[in-house]
Amino acid sequence: MIFDFQYVAASLKVAVKYIPTTLMLSVLPLFIGIVFGTWIAICRRFRIRIIAKLADILIPVTKGIPLVLHLFIMNFLILKPLDFLSQWYGWADALRFMDKTYIGIVAISIYAVVVISETMRSALISVDDGQYEAGYSVGLTRWQTLRRVVLPQAFPFAVPVLCNNFIGLIKGSSIVYLITVVDVMNGALTSAQINYRFLEAYIAAAMIYWMMCLTVERVSIILEKHLKKYQYRVQENNLRREVL
Amino acid sequence: MGSLFDIKLVFEYFPAIISRFHITLLIVVFSITVGMLLGLLIAAIRIYKIPVLNHIAVVYVSFIRGTPIIIQLFIVYYGLPLLLDAMGIDINQWEKLYFVLAAYGFNNAAFISEIIRSAILSVPQGQREAAYSIGLSRWQALRRVILPQAFLIAFPVFGTRVVNTFESTSLAFTLGILDMIGQAQAIGNRTYHELEGYAVIAVVFIVVSLLLEKMFLHAEKRLILNRR
Amino acid sequence: MIQLKGVRKSFGKNEVLKGVDLSVKTGEVVVVLGPSGSGKTTLLRCINFLEAADDGELTIGDTKISFKHATSKEILNVRRQTAMVFQNYNLFSNMTALENVMEGLVTARNVPVAQAKEIAQKALDKVGLTDKYDSFPLQLSGGQQQRVGIARAVALNPEVILFDEPTSALDPELVGEVLAVMRKVAQDGITMVVVTHEMSFANDIANHIVFMDEGVIVEEGSPKEIFSNPKEERTKQFLERILPRWSFSI
Ligand SMILES: Nc1ncnc2c1ncn2[C@@H]1O[C@H](COP(=O)(O)OP(=O)(O)OP(=O)(O)O)[C@@H](O)[C@H]1O
Ligand SMILES: [Mg+2]
């Protein structure tokens, strides 16, 4: 069989329609990951009783499980009970054959929370202890110090890493085709099921993922430059400072 | 359908699943080795900005980093025979495992080249100048000053790469390789007890990746101590 | 007025404060001297609960708090009546000089923004930084940063300001400007507890000098008593070691 670019184009056309699904499978987990991941990182930073201890154990352990296993386990845990219930209940049967995107979102979100909690942890650690102490010394509460002083300094540090995490989620989301969700990957493959042009289909899918990741990378660079510009300005002035 | 999760089966499946661990190990060791060799080459091409090759390297690294490994697996599987066929080499009889090894090797080459490149570039310019100032040649400066420092910078990132590779081998089964996950699925298809198999694999992955992390942390400490 | 009674603090097995009693009258400037590692920093940090002391009592204004059983509400209350000037400045690096000074007023004490701004500007004017309102910490020299640090403390109008070696991270030529600002603050009648190694400065501004060694207060008294007529052997040794250097630098 000879490589034929026509089939790539055909696959591309179909796959592009599923970009929203892939985005849903990565943006939603990103958002959930940032919210809960930051929260967990904060609890660990402040050593908040049980949560911090629990996270110390659960985060490294969960991080060791590959995403695809998260997906399979979640798929199994959600579908098998439905299988069972569907013998008696109509709604369970209906749920069973529903679009499984939500299972993907749940599995990828768990993964995202774990990964992003580590990102935020190192971002929080990057803020000097003195900043916390200065906050306390002027009478801010722990929460106020966090919100007004620490997080505004930690987030710029975290942005490039978060963008990397996001790229990881976009790429990682492609495995949902294994549980029959139709995303960019699966969309590209639909025509290949008929004409066996698999190479062309995979290349089409690769193109879309590549473009999406490049876009995120661009945004990351722009954001970083924005943050750097502020630092450069500071450093320029810094150079002059001892001459004063 | 019986119970959802039978702990007895976890122990029952354990030997069958762990017996496929060597496949995972093979993929990791092979792809990291190949990745280091190819990666060094790519890093050199990029650092010395060798014309044409540099551009190809940039695109290659960007492509590998911007696409899912699972797609790379299939592109190698379907594409490599076509490519080599055009050059008169017939690999249609290759075992699937070889394609998996090739795909992970290509993947790691890109990532490792970036690790090497950024480590070398992050050694301060002053170090190079200081080396020249005491009369070292370009090659001497690289070997005696730049590379030892870059090595220390790259080492922990390299450790993370090994752990990541280990985790990403969990996708090799999609090509039909009978690794741990392939085995668990085979068992699941027979017995409708997938979950126990996944639990075994999860435990293996958790234990091994924690061990790997510990090992690299330990090695890193030793490296830093030995330097003094 | 603040009063400390029987303050104890250990780091693991290392007992750093072994029962310190200290009382500071309103408007008084107390200078704490002592060799490195004697526990001066730890003492200051215990006063505003940046370090949790193991035992002892703190009286500030008319509230009495036991270190052992302090609630987070009491801790916050103490912190709002004290302020601290740090050795390494610790300005909020995400805020301008003005915002640094306003932060404690607006967020911790709910002072309206307009009013806080006015207070903050006045405080910065006082430390001679009228033209630096909108500079970020990294755009300022060390001496300027420390002056913002002092303005940040002064603006809160606390019962006491704690200074922990405020000039020891500064280049020698910048020390003078910070000491001058501190003199001004002292003249305004603000209660201060100062840890410093600047002996002539201590001699000038202190109403009361405390000499600490190995976690206890060895000797205290007026500057005259301590500098010209120390009673304890340890004080004498410390001053002998440090004073020759000091007299040269005059
Ligand atoms: N966070 C900490 N953990 C463990 N030990 C500490 C800690 N902070 C201080 N110490 C110990 O407490 C002792 C007193 O330290 P402190 O900083 O109070 O001394 P100091 O009088 O301020 O000294 P210097 O003049 O050098 O600043 C030292 O032996 C120090 O090692
Ligand atoms: Mg100190």
Side-chain angles (χ1 to χ4, degrees):
Chain A
M1 213 185 290
I2 290 173
F3 184 79
D4 190 339
F5 201 80
Q6 247 185 328
Y7 291 104
V8 176
S11 269
L12 266 178
K13 235 184 240 160
V14 185
V16 165
K17 287 190 213 132
Y18 294 99
I19 288 180
T21 311
T22 288
L23 277 179
M24 200 152 75
L25 283 160
S26 48
V27 174
L28 226 54
L30 176 75
F31 184 72
I32 293 171
I34 289 178
V35 172
F36 288 95
T38 307
W39 181 75
I40 291 172
I42 290 168
C43 289
R44 288 178 88 181
R45 182 71 183 79
F46 287 146
R47 303 306 313 158
I48 290 176
R49 265 156 288 182
I50 315 159
I51 301 167
K53 286 230 177 73
L54 217 61
D56 283 348
I57 298 168
L58 282 183
I59 298 285
V61 163
T62 322
K63 208 174 58 173
I65 303 176
L67 179 55
V68 68
L69 265 190
H70 278 291
L71 184 73
F72 283 169
I73 291 172
M74 201 44 75
N75 188 43
F76 189 91
L77 285 182
I78 292 178
L79 284 193
K80 274 292 138 82
L82 288 181
D83 262 358
F84 187 60
L85 290 174
S86 63
Q87 296 171 351
W88 300 288
Y89 302 107
W91 57 261
D93 205 38
L95 271 181
R96 202 152 59 116
F97 292 106
M98 220 177 71
D99 178 23
K100 288 189 197 164
T101 311
Y102 71 98
I103 297 180
I105 291 176
V106 173
I108 298 173
S109 294
I110 293 174
Y111 187 75
V113 168
V114 171
V115 170
I116 293 177
S117 89
E118 293 288 73
T119 302
M120 290 314 296
R121 195 159 88 106
S122 50
L124 285 184
I125 291 173
S126 78
V127 177
D128 188 45
D129 274 350
Q131 296 288 317
Y132 291 87
E133 295 184 350
Y136 301 153
S137 83
V138 298
L140 303 187
T141 61
R142 208 150 70 160
W143 169 238
Q144 285 171 330
T145 307
L146 197 65
R147 199 167 44 92
R148 306 270 316 162
V149 179
V150 177
L151 286 181
Q153 293 178 42
F155 263 113
F157 178 93
V159 161
V161 193
L162 284 175
C163 286
N164 249 334
N165 295 157
F166 185 37
I167 289 176
L169 293 178
I170 292 175
K171 293 194 293 179
S173 75
S174 62
I175 61 165
V176 294
Y177 92 96
L178 293 169
I179 59 164
T180 71
V181 175
V182 186
D183 64 339
V184 167
M185 170 95 157
N186 217 348
L189 287 174
T190 38
S191 52
Q193 313 289 0
I194 302 158
N195 59 25
Y196 293 99
R197 291 291 184 162
F198 283 105
L199 179 60
E200 286 86 345
Y202 281 112
I203 286 183
M207 291 298 157
I208 296 179
Y209 283 106
W210 195 9
M211 286 312 127
M212 289 174 79
C213 292
L214 283 180
T215 310
V216 177
E217 214 167 279
R218 270 254 58 88
V219 172
S220 166
I221 289 171
I222 292 170
L223 281 175
E224 229 176 312
K225 249 197 203 134
H226 199 71
L227 300 168
K228 275 256 178 62
K229 216 169 29 188
Y230 160 72
Q231 277 166 4
Y232 281 146
R233 201 187 69 211
V234 164
Q235 251 137 38
E236 256 167 49
N237 280 275
N238 227 13
L239 285 180
R240 272 194 284 117
R241 91 175 192 208
E242 296 305 342
V243 189
L244 274 179
Chain B
M1 187 200 126
S3 65
L4 205 59
F5 188 82
D6 186 348
I7 189 81
K8 270 213 303 278
L9 289 178
V10 172
F11 293 104
E12 204 179 309
Y13 296 163
F14 188 81
I17 289 173
I18 199 77
S19 75
R20 308 305 299 169
F21 183 68
H22 65 280
I23 302 283
T24 306
L25 205 62
L26 176 67
I27 300 173
V28 173
V29 172
F30 179 86
S31 70
I32 291 285
T33 313
V34 168
M36 278 204 293
L37 296 175
L38 273 180
L40 214 56
L41 188 73
I42 298 173
I45 289 173
R46 292 204 55 190
I47 287 173
Y48 293 111
K49 298 220 161 59
I50 296 169
V52 188
L53 285 183
N54 183 31
H55 291 289
I56 296 174
V58 170
V59 174
Y60 175 73
V61 170
S62 166
F63 178 81
I64 295 284
R65 300 210 313 164
T67 54
I69 175 90
I70 199 166
I71 292 183
Q72 292 162 17
L73 266 172
F74 282 101
I75 290 183
V76 168
Y77 179 63
Y78 289 111
L80 202 58
L82 278 187
L83 194 71
L84 292 183
D85 205 33
M87 300 202 279
I89 306 168
D90 182 14
I91 57 165
N92 282 310
Q93 301 310 314
W94 263 21
E95 263 185 60
K96 279 179 172 173
L97 182 61
Y98 294 158
F99 291 101
V100 172
L101 292 177
Y104 279 95
F106 291 147
N107 181 271
N108 266 328
F111 280 98
I112 293 177
S113 81
E114 275 300 278
I115 296 175
I116 296 171
R117 193 178 73 96
S118 58
I120 289 179
L121 291 184
S122 66
V123 175
Q125 189 61 24
Q127 294 291 318
R128 193 180 297 263
E129 287 167 7
Y132 294 157
S133 80
I134 59 165
L136 298 190
S137 70
R138 236 174 98 142
W139 169 245
Q140 284 170 328
L142 188 70
R143 206 167 51 90
R144 306 276 316 155
V145 180
I146 309 294
L147 287 184
Q149 292 188 34
F151 180 71
L152 278 185
I153 298 170
F155 189 77
V157 195
F158 177 74
T160 314
R161 178 93 290 261
V162 173
V163 176
N164 283 347
T165 303
F166 174 64
E167 287 202 4
S168 75
T169 57
S170 61
L171 292 172
F173 82 97
T174 54
L175 217 56
I177 298 287
L178 195 65
D179 66 350
M180 290 190 294
I181 298 191
Q183 184 80 312
Q185 286 202 319
I187 294 173
N189 286 341
R190 259 201 338 265
T191 61
Y192 296 100
H193 277 282
E194 290 163 69
L195 196 58
E196 290 83 353
Y198 295 151
V200 171
I201 299 169
V203 170
V204 173
F205 268 96
I206 291 167
V207 170
V208 175
S209 55
L210 285 180
L211 275 179
L212 279 175
E213 263 169 42
K214 279 258 150 53
M215 231 175 61
F216 274 102
L217 220 63
H218 182 75
E220 194 191 334
K221 267 191 202 140
R222 286 289 292 273
L223 276 177
I224 292 171
L225 284 178
N226 283 348
R227 201 169 53 131
R228 294 223 188 99
Chain C
M1 132 148 170
I2 50 176
Q3 205 164 24
L4 291 169
K5 244 194 212 147
V7 182
R8 288 180 176 280
K9 170 75 189 168
S10 307
F11 291 107
K13 287 209 175 86
N14 178 15
E15 192 171 25
V16 176
L17 298 178
K18 303 169 182 162
V20 175
D21 301 321
L22 177 71
S23 90
V24 183
K25 295 194 199 75
T26 305
E28 195 177 43
V29 177
V30 172
V31 170
V32 182
L33 301 178
S36 188
S38 55
K40 309 177 297 288
T41 299
T42 308
L43 182 66
L44 286 199
R45 289 166 60 84
C46 283
I47 294 179
N48 65 350
F49 288 90
L50 289 181
E51 214 71 78
D54 303 326
D55 205 356
E57 242 176 42
L58 168 69
T59 313
I60 185 162
D62 36 58
T63 45
K64 194 187 239 177
I65 294 153
S66 114
F67 282 112
K68 232 186 203 158
H69 308 291
T71 63
S72 51
K73 214 171 176 182
E74 283 172 331
I75 292 175
L76 194 62
N77 195 28
V78 171
R79 286 187 180 148
R80 289 186 177 168
Q81 293 181 62
T82 60
M84 182 128 180
V85 175
F86 296 86
Q87 186 171 353
N88 51 355
Y89 333 131
N90 283 344
L91 296 186
F92 303 128
S93 52
N94 57 324
M95 298 181 196
T96 63
L98 192 69
E99 286 165 349
N100 259 280
V101 182
M102 287 168 65
E103 186 60 26
L105 294 165
V106 174
T107 307
R109 307 189 182 191
N110 296 319
V111 176
V113 173
Q115 197 184 336
K117 196 167 174 181
E118 209 173 298
I119 298 172
Q121 285 174 344
K122 250 190 222 144
L124 283 172
D125 293 347
K126 187 182 222 152
V127 299
L129 291 175
T130 310
D131 53 340
K132 299 289 182 192
Y133 290 168
D134 297 323
S135 302
F136 283 92
L138 279 174
Q139 296 172 298
L140 299 170
S141 73
Q144 290 168 338
Q145 286 189 57
Q146 192 57 297
R147 278 144 68 194
V148 176
I150 294 172
R152 180 171 72 180
V154 169
L156 297 169
N157 193 23
E159 292 281 323
V160 60
I161 301 181
L162 311 166
F163 293 81
D164 185 18
E165 302 193 30
T167 59
S168 62
L170 291 173
D171 291 339
E173 73 268 24
L174 299 176
V175 170
E177 61 185 68
V178 172
L179 293 184
V181 166
M182 285 173 66
R183 276 203 178 88
K184 237 197 258 175
V185 174
Q187 278 157 16
D188 287 350
I190 292 172
T191 317
M192 295 162 55
V193 177
V194 185
V195 173
T196 183
H197 290 301
E198 301 284 334
M199 291 301 157
S200 68
F201 173 71
N203 192 22
D204 286 357
I205 70 161
N207 305 110
H208 193 78
I209 289 192
V210 171
F211 175 71
M212 268 183 87
D213 195 12
E214 298 190 348
V216 290
I217 291 181
V218 176
E219 185 170 1
E220 52 184 315
S222 68
K224 218 188 220 154
E225 284 165 356
I226 298 289
F227 282 124
S228 26
N229 191 17
K231 292 189 190 62
E232 298 289 328
E233 197 51 36
R234 274 194 279 182
T235 322
K236 275 182 207 162
Q237 279 173 3
F238 174 74
L239 290 174
E240 263 163 31
R241 251 187 300 129
I242 220 155
L243 280 184
R245 252 188 290 149
W246 161 57
S247 49
F248 277 131
S249 70
I250 284 186

